[in-house]
Amino acid sequence: MLLKFLKLTQFRCYAEVRIDVPDLGLRIVGDNATGKTSLLEAVGLLATTRSFRNAQDRDLVRWGSGEEYAVAPFTRVEATIDGGEGQHHLGIAIELAKDVESVASKRFELDGRITSAHRMVGHFTTVTFTPEDVQLVIGAPADRRRSLDILISQIDRVYLQRLTRYSLVLRQRNSLLKSFARDRVLPTAAPAVTQISFWDEQLVAEGGYLVALRARMLDQLDRAMEQRSSEIAGEVSFGLRYASRTSVHLPSLTGETSEHDAVTRASQALHDDLERHRADEFRRGMTLTGPHRDDVEFEIEGRSLARFGSRGQQRMGVLALKLAEADVVAIMTGDGPVFLLDDVLSELDNSHRDLLLDAVRTHASQL
C-alpha cells in the first residue's frame, strides 16, 4: 500500500499544501506546533474517516477558513493511493454551519464520485503509532474498543456497517429502557415485552457479528504479538485477552470454527444474556450486556500489563501490538499498511527503533 499524493485545503494550520510522496515515505521534521501531526492526521482521516486524535470534525477546519471568499468554513483532504486493488483517489470535504460550531456536511469521494464512509473505508489501510498510544494499556475500555474497531473496519467493510447499526439500535433500546425505568414498567408487562423484543432481535443480529469478529481478530493479534514479543523483549511474552461481557465461550468462536458458526454462537449467547438481564435492565434503564461493554486487556506473561508491567514494558506491549496489527493486515489483505509514526522513534531506544523500522521494511510498507 502506497500513498502517492496528498493535498490539504484549509486543514488545521494549512491553507493549502500539496505533497508528492516518495514510495519509501516521508520523514517530517520541524518545530513544535508547526503541523507535523496534522499531516499524519489528514492521512489517517482518509483511511478511517475519523481523526486518530479523537478530534471533532469541526476542529479540523482551519481558523478563518472561508472568510476570504465569503463562504462557509470548510476543509478538504484528498489523496491518491496505490494498493492491491489498484490506484484510487480518495477525498473528504467538511463544511461547517454558520455558527461554526456544527458540521453542515461531510462528503466522501472515491475516484471522483460521492460515496459513503462504509464504502470508502478499506481502500486505504494504515497503522498509527503515537506516544499517547501507551494509554491503550492503562486507559479506558472505550479507547481499546475503538482501536480494535478501527483495525477490523479497515479490513472488513461489513464490520463497520454492522457497528454503525449496532450503535443506532443500542441508542433506541436504551431510550426505551429509560422510559420503562422512569415509569416503573414491569418486565412481565406484555406490551413492554413486545416493544423490547423488537430491539432485542436487532441488537442480537448486529452484536453477535461484532463479538464474533472481535474474538477472531484478537485471536490472530494475540498470536502475532507472541511472535513479535521474542524480538522485542526476549523471553518476556506480551498478549491480548478479550474480556467479553457476554456469556459466549470465546474459544468456540476461533480456531477451526467458521465465521458463520462463530456469529451464530455469539448471537445465541447475547440473546440468552438479554433474557437473563431483562428485569435488571427494566429497573436500571440501560442495556447491561453486549459488545459496547467489552474490554481488551493487555497481558505480560499471562498477567495484567496495566497492573504488573512497568512503564517501559507497557510501551513495549503497545509496540508489539502495532507490529502485530501490521502483520495481520498484511496477511488478511495481501498488502502491507502505511505506517503513521508520530514522534514515536524518540520514545524508543536504538534497538527497538531499529526493530520497528525493520518491520516496516519486512512488509515493504511506506513510512
Side-chain angles (χ1 to χ4, degrees):
M1 180 70 64
L2 296 174
L3 175 66
K4 306 292 287 186
F5 172 76
L6 178 67
K7 179 182 177 181
L8 311 183
T9 305
Q10 301 295 312
F11 185 87
R12 291 286 193 179
C13 63
Y14 294 100
E16 181 172 302
V17 62
R18 299 165 180 255
I19 303 174
D20 291 309
V21 185
D23 288 353
L24 291 178
L26 286 175
R27 181 181 182 185
I28 306 167
V29 180
D31 294 333
N32 291 335
T34 55
K36 301 187 299 296
T37 298
S38 295
L39 287 173
L40 299 182
E41 182 181 26
V43 176
L45 182 71
L46 291 168
T48 67
T49 74
R50 296 185 178 184
S51 165
F52 65 70
R53 299 161 79 178
N54 289 330
Q56 297 185 40
D57 287 338
R58 69 186 184 197
D59 299 329
L60 305 179
V61 178
R62 181 171 177 261
W63 184 260
S65 168
E67 291 180 355
E68 183 177 355
Y69 301 103
V71 297
F74 73 98
T75 186
R76 179 177 175 80
V77 180
E78 52 190 303
T80 301
I81 58 102
D82 195 354
E85 299 179 344
Q87 194 167 97
H88 292 287
H89 190 78
L90 310 177
I92 295 180
I94 300 170
E95 182 177 315
L96 300 187
K98 292 181 179 179
D99 61 8
V100 194
E101 292 297 319
S102 57
V103 174
S105 68
K106 185 175 184 180
R107 188 173 68 250
F108 307 97
E109 299 174 9
L110 176 61
D111 295 329
R113 297 183 177 182
I114 302 299
T115 188
S116 66
H118 297 148
R119 294 183 182 276
M120 184 169 167
V121 171
H123 289 284
F124 181 39
T125 55
T126 61
V127 170
T128 303
F129 192 9
T130 73
E132 291 76 22
D133 280 337
V134 71
Q135 294 299 316
L136 284 174
V137 177
I138 59 177
D143 295 332
R144 290 185 286 275
R145 287 195 300 270
R146 181 176 183 271
S147 178
L148 178 62
D149 288 339
I150 288 173
L151 175 64
I152 302 176
S153 295
Q154 290 188 86
I155 298 172
D156 183 348
R157 296 188 185 107
V158 174
Y159 183 88
L160 180 58
Q161 296 174 356
R162 306 293 286 266
L163 179 64
T164 300
R165 288 201 292 265
Y166 180 86
S167 299
L168 293 173
V169 171
L170 179 65
R171 189 156 51 244
Q172 294 291 336
R173 189 176 189 272
N174 280 341
S175 178
L176 182 61
L177 286 171
K178 186 176 181 180
S179 69
F180 288 166
R182 183 189 62 237
D183 300 335
R184 298 186 178 182
V185 176
L186 295 176
T188 54
V193 171
T194 300
Q195 286 180 284
I196 202 66
S197 295
F198 172 79
W199 294 112
D200 284 357
E201 182 178 345
Q202 297 187 56
L203 196 77
V204 165
E206 310 303 341
Y209 186 87
L210 300 185
V211 171
L213 268 289
R214 284 178 179 178
R216 296 168 75 83
M217 174 58 73
L218 284 168
D219 180 61
Q220 293 189 67
L221 285 174
D222 181 61
R223 286 186 276 115
M225 280 184 70
E226 185 175 2
Q227 293 177 353
R228 287 294 186 176
S229 294
S230 61
E231 303 170 8
I232 296 173
E235 297 181 357
V236 177
S237 177
F238 296 104
L240 294 173
R241 187 177 75 84
Y242 186 16
S244 174
R245 295 301 182 259
T246 66
S247 60
V248 66
H249 181 56
L250 292 174
S252 71
L253 306 182
T254 59
E256 299 299 321
T257 305
S258 69
E259 181 179 303
H260 177 271
D261 288 345
V263 172
T264 299
R265 293 171 183 174
S267 298
Q268 184 59 55
L270 180 54
H271 174 273
D272 295 343
D273 291 339
L274 291 174
E275 291 284 340
R276 185 166 55 254
H277 290 293
R278 176 166 292 173
D280 204 19
E281 288 185 337
F282 271 54
R283 180 178 59 83
R284 297 178 61 180
M286 66 179 68
T287 303
L288 299 177
T289 187
H292 63 288
R293 299 179 68 88
D294 286 349
D295 197 359
V296 179
E297 298 179 357
F298 284 77
E299 294 186 332
I300 179 171
E301 296 296 324
R303 301 199 301 173
S304 169
L305 181 59
R307 292 179 57 194
F308 299 103
S310 67
R311 178 75 175 183
Q313 288 174 325
Q314 290 172 2
R315 187 181 296 112
M316 292 304 101
V318 174
L319 174 59
L321 171 63
K322 295 302 178 178
L323 296 177
E325 286 182 3
D327 292 338
V328 172
V329 168
I331 291 171
M332 297 187 70
T333 68
D335 204 359
V338 171
F339 277 84
L340 305 178
L341 308 182
D342 184 15
D343 200 29
V344 296
L345 296 182
S346 62
E347 294 284 315
L348 304 175
D349 57 33
N350 289 335
S351 61
H352 292 105
R353 187 182 301 127
D354 292 341
L355 174 65
L356 180 57
L357 295 177
D358 285 343
V360 176
R361 299 187 191 99
T362 299
H363 294 299
S365 295
Q366 194 177 35
L367 177 62

Coordinates of all heavy atoms in Angstrom, one line a residue, residues 13 27 42 61 64 81 89-90 129 150 168 174 180 227 243 254 266 269 271 273 286 290 295 301 323 332 363:
C13 N -3.8 24.0 10.4 CA -3.0 25.2 10.2 C -2.6 25.4 8.8 O -1.9 26.4 8.4 CB -1.7 25.1 11.1 SG -0.6 23.8 10.6
R27 N 9.9 11.6 6.0 CA 10.3 12.0 7.4 C 10.0 13.5 7.5 O 10.7 14.3 6.8 CB 11.7 11.7 7.7 CG 12.2 12.0 9.1 CD 13.6 11.7 9.3 NE 14.0 11.9 10.7 CZ 15.2 11.8 11.2 NH1 16.2 11.5 10.4 NH2 15.5 12.1 12.4
A42 N -4.4 14.0 8.7 CA -5.1 14.0 7.4 C -5.0 12.7 6.7 O -6.0 12.2 6.1 CB -4.5 15.1 6.6
V61 N -11.2 22.1 10.7 CA -11.3 23.2 9.8 C -10.4 24.3 10.2 O -10.4 24.7 11.4 CB -12.7 23.7 9.7 CG1 -12.9 24.9 8.8 CG2 -13.6 22.6 9.2
G64 N -10.6 30.7 10.4 CA -10.7 31.8 9.4 C -11.0 31.3 8.0 O -11.1 32.0 7.1
I81 N -3.9 6.9 -3.8 CA -3.2 5.8 -3.2 C -3.1 4.6 -4.2 O -3.9 4.5 -5.1 CB -4.0 5.3 -1.9 CG1 -5.4 4.9 -2.2 CG2 -3.9 6.4 -0.8 CD1 -5.7 3.5 -2.3
H89 N -8.4 7.5 -6.0 CA -8.3 8.8 -5.5 C -9.4 9.0 -4.4 O -10.6 8.7 -4.7 CB -8.5 9.8 -6.6 CG -8.2 11.2 -6.2 ND1 -7.0 11.7 -6.1 CD2 -9.1 12.3 -5.8 CE1 -7.0 13.0 -5.7 NE2 -8.3 13.3 -5.5
L90 N -9.0 9.4 -3.2 CA -9.8 9.5 -2.1 C -10.0 11.0 -1.7 O -9.0 11.7 -1.8 CB -9.3 8.7 -0.9 CG -8.9 7.2 -1.1 CD1 -8.3 6.7 0.2 CD2 -10.1 6.4 -1.6
F129 N 0.9 4.9 15.2 CA 1.6 4.7 16.4 C 2.0 6.1 16.9 O 2.8 6.8 16.3 CB 2.8 3.8 16.2 CG 3.5 3.3 17.5 CD1 2.9 3.5 18.7 CD2 4.7 2.6 17.4 CE1 3.5 3.1 19.9 CE2 5.3 2.2 18.6 CZ 4.7 2.4 19.8
I150 N -11.4 0.1 14.7 CA -10.8 0.8 13.6 C -10.0 -0.2 12.8 O -10.0 -0.2 11.5 CB -9.9 1.9 14.0 CG1 -10.8 3.1 14.5 CG2 -9.0 2.4 12.9 CD1 -10.0 4.2 15.2
L168 N -26.8 2.5 16.6 CA -28.2 3.1 16.5 C -29.2 2.3 17.2 O -30.1 2.8 17.9 CB -28.5 3.1 15.0 CG -27.7 4.1 14.1 CD1 -28.1 3.9 12.6 CD2 -27.9 5.5 14.5
N174 N -31.8 1.7 24.6 CA -31.6 2.4 25.9 C -32.7 3.5 26.1 O -33.1 3.7 27.3 CB -30.2 3.0 25.9 CG -29.1 2.0 26.2 OD1 -29.4 0.9 26.7 ND2 -27.9 2.3 25.9
F180 N -39.0 2.9 30.5 CA -39.6 1.9 31.3 C -39.2 2.1 32.8 O -40.0 1.9 33.7 CB -39.1 0.5 30.8 CG -39.7 0.0 29.6 CD1 -39.1 -1.1 28.9 CD2 -40.8 0.6 29.0 CE1 -39.7 -1.5 27.7 CE2 -41.4 0.2 27.8 CZ -40.8 -0.9 27.2
Q227 N 4.6 -13.8 18.8 CA 5.8 -13.9 17.9 C 6.7 -12.7 17.9 O 7.9 -12.8 17.9 CB 5.3 -14.2 16.4 CG 4.6 -15.5 16.3 CD 4.1 -15.7 14.8 OE1 4.1 -14.8 14.0 NE2 3.6 -16.9 14.6
A243 N -12.0 -9.6 27.0 CA -12.9 -9.6 28.1 C -14.3 -9.3 27.7 O -14.7 -8.1 27.8 CB -12.4 -8.6 29.2
T254 N -13.2 -19.2 17.6 CA -11.9 -19.1 16.9 C -11.5 -20.4 16.4 O -12.2 -21.4 16.3 CB -10.9 -18.4 17.8 OG1 -10.7 -19.2 18.9 CG2 -11.3 -17.0 18.2
A266 N -22.2 -16.6 19.0 CA -22.1 -15.3 19.7 C -23.5 -14.7 19.8 O -23.9 -14.1 20.9 CB -21.2 -14.4 19.0
A269 N -25.6 -16.5 22.5 CA -25.2 -16.2 23.8 C -25.7 -14.8 24.2 O -26.2 -14.6 25.3 CB -23.7 -16.2 23.9
H271 N -28.4 -13.3 23.0 CA -29.8 -13.4 23.2 C -30.1 -13.9 24.6 O -31.0 -13.4 25.3 CB -30.4 -14.4 22.1 CG -31.9 -14.7 22.3 ND1 -32.3 -15.7 23.1 CD2 -33.0 -14.1 21.8 CE1 -33.6 -15.7 23.1 NE2 -34.1 -14.7 22.4
D273 N -28.3 -13.8 27.2 CA -27.9 -12.8 28.2 C -28.9 -11.7 28.4 O -29.2 -11.2 29.5 CB -26.5 -12.1 27.8 CG -25.4 -13.1 27.9 OD1 -25.5 -14.1 28.6 OD2 -24.4 -12.8 27.2
M286 N -31.1 0.7 31.2 CA -29.9 0.6 30.3 C -29.7 -0.8 29.9 O -30.0 -1.7 30.6 CB -28.7 1.3 30.9 CG -28.1 0.5 32.1 SD -26.6 1.2 32.8 CE -27.3 2.7 33.5
G290 N -23.5 -6.8 26.1 CA -23.3 -6.6 24.7 C -21.9 -6.1 24.4 O -21.1 -5.8 25.3
D295 N -14.1 -5.3 26.8 CA -12.8 -4.7 27.0 C -11.7 -5.6 26.4 O -12.0 -6.8 26.1 CB -12.5 -4.6 28.5 CG -11.3 -3.6 28.8 OD1 -10.7 -3.1 27.9 OD2 -11.0 -3.4 30.0
E301 N 3.2 -12.1 30.3 CA 3.4 -13.4 30.9 C 2.0 -13.9 31.5 O 2.0 -14.4 32.6 CB 4.5 -13.4 32.0 CG 5.9 -13.1 31.4 CD 6.3 -14.2 30.4 OE1 6.0 -15.4 30.7 OE2 7.0 -13.9 29.4
L323 N 3.1 -3.8 15.7 CA 3.7 -4.7 14.8 C 2.8 -5.8 14.4 O 2.7 -6.3 13.2 CB 5.0 -5.2 15.3 CG 6.1 -4.2 15.6 CD1 7.3 -4.8 16.2 CD2 6.5 -3.4 14.3
M332 N -4.2 -10.6 5.9 CA -5.6 -10.7 5.6 C -5.9 -9.9 4.3 O -6.9 -10.2 3.6 CB -6.5 -10.1 6.7 CG -6.4 -11.0 8.0 SD -7.5 -10.5 9.3 CE -9.1 -11.0 8.6
H363 N 7.4 -5.6 5.5 CA 6.1 -5.6 4.8 C 6.2 -4.7 3.6 O 5.2 -4.5 2.9 CB 5.0 -5.0 5.7 CG 4.7 -5.9 6.9 ND1 4.2 -7.1 6.7 CD2 4.7 -5.7 8.2 CE1 4.0 -7.7 8.0 NE2 4.3 -6.8 8.9

